[in-house]
Amino acid sequence: MTIILAIETSCDETSVAVVDNQTILSNIIWSQASQHAEFGGVFPSLAQRLHREHIDWVIKKALGTSKKELEDINAVAVTVGPGLAIALEVGISKAKELCKKYNKSLIPVNHIEAHILSPLAVAKNQEPKSNYNQLFPALGIVTSGGHTEIILMKSIGSYEILATTLDDALGESLDKAARLLGLGYPGGAVLEKLARSGNPKNITLPIPMLGRENDLRFSYSGLKTAFFKKLSEFPRLTPQETADLASSYQNTAFLHFIRIFEKTLQSEKCSNVKHVFAGGGVMANILLRKMIRNTCNKHNISISFPYSRKLYGDNAGMIGVVAYFKYLKSEFLKPNEFDSVERIPRAKVDQKF
Ligand code: KG4
Ligand code: ZN
């Protein structure tokens, strides 16, 4: 039994979790999204201030919910990147403070690794997946507000980025389209709801990178421009036209994702891939999950998603799961060793720290 307290402050969610091995005992998320909405995106200094104001309360709540005390924990885990520098700082300094005060080990965690391992989190009433080693080599796919990546996972902790985006991330792209439709921020979930009553066939948008899929690159900025042009053709939008536009945008953005995903699956490096781990905020989208599942079925590859909605977007539960695997390999630091631990705002998933 390894009890880890995990802290996540990389963007606009202040989150703290307590995990017992892979089992999530508590996963508290205090979302700042509504405070950033008026800026149409995350405002870094506001994020930092709100993290500072709420972190102690979120830690208390996570410990209380898990019925654990700080004395019971083996280590404190914290996201060191990628993310907003001044937001990451809040979690890192709090983690160091707790480790020093209670003489605990510190485990620095990469946020993207946490998204791709989030399907390995286990609920309190579930049996842990003890045979997970058989699932490798695997592919990790992350679709979030800041990242769209396909990662070859040779084993836990050994990664190679196979496909990434040239410009916007998938979630960012959905957020921009939602904003153009006046749906507010963040817009992915609202766009999904609206798209359900629309018909994607009524409005045609260009699928990005057509014929260039072998480059294994995503690109969403051209689609946004095409959408903007399409919108300007409508002097006034009826509710049905708005829904059709939402549906067409979402569908085209996902089709592009799938085309690159499929090319990656067929590439030489993936010939031994047995499983796909999928995570990140946009994976909460039912249509996207269905399209990914169908692609995996077609190629006879198994797939797993996180067990609850809470584990898709940013949350500390997934940070705790990565930390558990690191703890097993003794990848933790003692209080006299961790002054070197710093924020890494542009950390890559294959980067060692
Ligand atoms: O993983 P996440 O919480 O934060 C980052 O690490 O970026 O992802 C946030 C993104 C936002 O772009 C949001 O619009 C999108 O996930 N999102 C969705 C849905 N729920 C959240 N996109 C599509 N459909 C959803 N249901
Ligand atoms: Zn994230």
Side-chain angles (χ1 to χ4, degrees), residues 312-332:
Y312 285 99
D314 290 347
N315 70 94
M318 64 180 190
I319 305 299
V321 171
V322 175
Y324 163 64
F325 292 118
K326 291 187 151 220
Y327 193 86
L328 287 182
K329 292 187 271 183
S330 303
E331 291 179 17
F332 49 77

Side-chain angles (χ1 to χ4, degrees), residues 13 111 115 144-146 171-172 174-175 186-189 192 280-282 284-285 309 312-314:
E13 261 92 29
H111 182 89
H115 275 307
S144 72
E172 184 181 6
L174 297 173
D175 289 341
E192 174 182 31
V282 190
N285 190 291
R309 227 183 150 82
Y312 285 99
D314 290 347

Side-chain angles (χ1 to χ4, degrees), residues 8 10-13 82 111-112 115 142-147 169-175 178 185-193 196 250 254 279-286 288-289 309 311-315 318:
E8 153 67 44
S10 69
C11 192
D12 60 347
E13 261 92 29
H111 182 89
I112 303 299
H115 275 307
V142 193
T143 56
S144 72
H147 296 271
L170 176 53
E172 184 181 6
S173 160
L174 297 173
D175 289 341
Y185 169 86
V190 194
L191 200 74
E192 174 182 31
K193 221 169 151 197
R196 276 187 215 134
Q250 197 186 249
F254 292 170
V282 190
M283 287 294 173
N285 190 291
I286 294 167
L288 178 64
R289 284 212 301 271
R309 227 183 150 82
L311 286 159
Y312 285 99
D314 290 347
N315 70 94
M318 64 180 190

Side-chain angles (χ1 to χ4, degrees), residues 26-182:
S26 64
N27 191 9
I28 308 299
I29 303 167
W30 187 80
S31 177
Q32 312 172 351
S34 60
Q35 267 96 328
H36 293 282
E38 64 176 295
F39 304 103
V42 181
F43 195 68
S45 58
L46 176 64
Q48 184 189 46
R49 180 166 65 75
L50 293 172
H51 283 312
R52 280 196 181 129
E53 283 173 9
H54 293 88
I55 193 147
D56 287 330
W57 176 84
V58 182
I59 291 172
K60 203 168 154 205
K61 180 110 174 124
L63 285 167
T65 308
S66 68
K67 302 195 172 60
K68 298 285 175 196
E69 309 275 337
L70 269 164
E71 286 75 12
D72 303 327
I73 65 158
N74 298 85
V76 178
V78 66
T79 308
V80 292
L84 296 171
I86 59 173
L88 289 163
E89 250 173 31
V90 181
I92 295 170
S93 67
K94 182 54 72 179
K96 286 182 178 175
E97 181 192 314
L98 291 176
C99 288
K100 282 186 179 147
K101 189 164 169 195
Y102 294 90
N103 194 27
K104 302 291 176 187
S105 303
L106 180 73
I107 308 179
V109 172
N110 181 300
H111 182 89
I112 303 299
E113 181 175 17
H115 275 307
I116 54 177
L117 292 184
S118 61
L120 287 174
V122 174
K124 266 188 271 187
N125 51 3
Q126 263 182 336
E127 275 296 307
K129 304 164 186 111
S130 53
N131 56 351
Y132 56 79
N133 278 321
Q134 297 167 13
L135 301 172
F136 296 90
L139 267 193
I141 53 180
V142 193
T143 56
S144 72
H147 296 271
T148 308
E149 272 176 25
I150 305 181
I151 298 146
L152 179 62
M153 305 165 76
K154 295 161 202 167
S155 60
I156 292 180
S158 174
Y159 308 120
E160 181 183 341
I161 301 169
L162 298 183
T164 185
T165 180
L166 292 171
D167 40 63
D168 294 348
L170 176 53
E172 184 181 6
S173 160
L174 297 173
D175 289 341
K176 285 179 178 172
R179 198 157 128 201
L180 288 171
L181 289 174

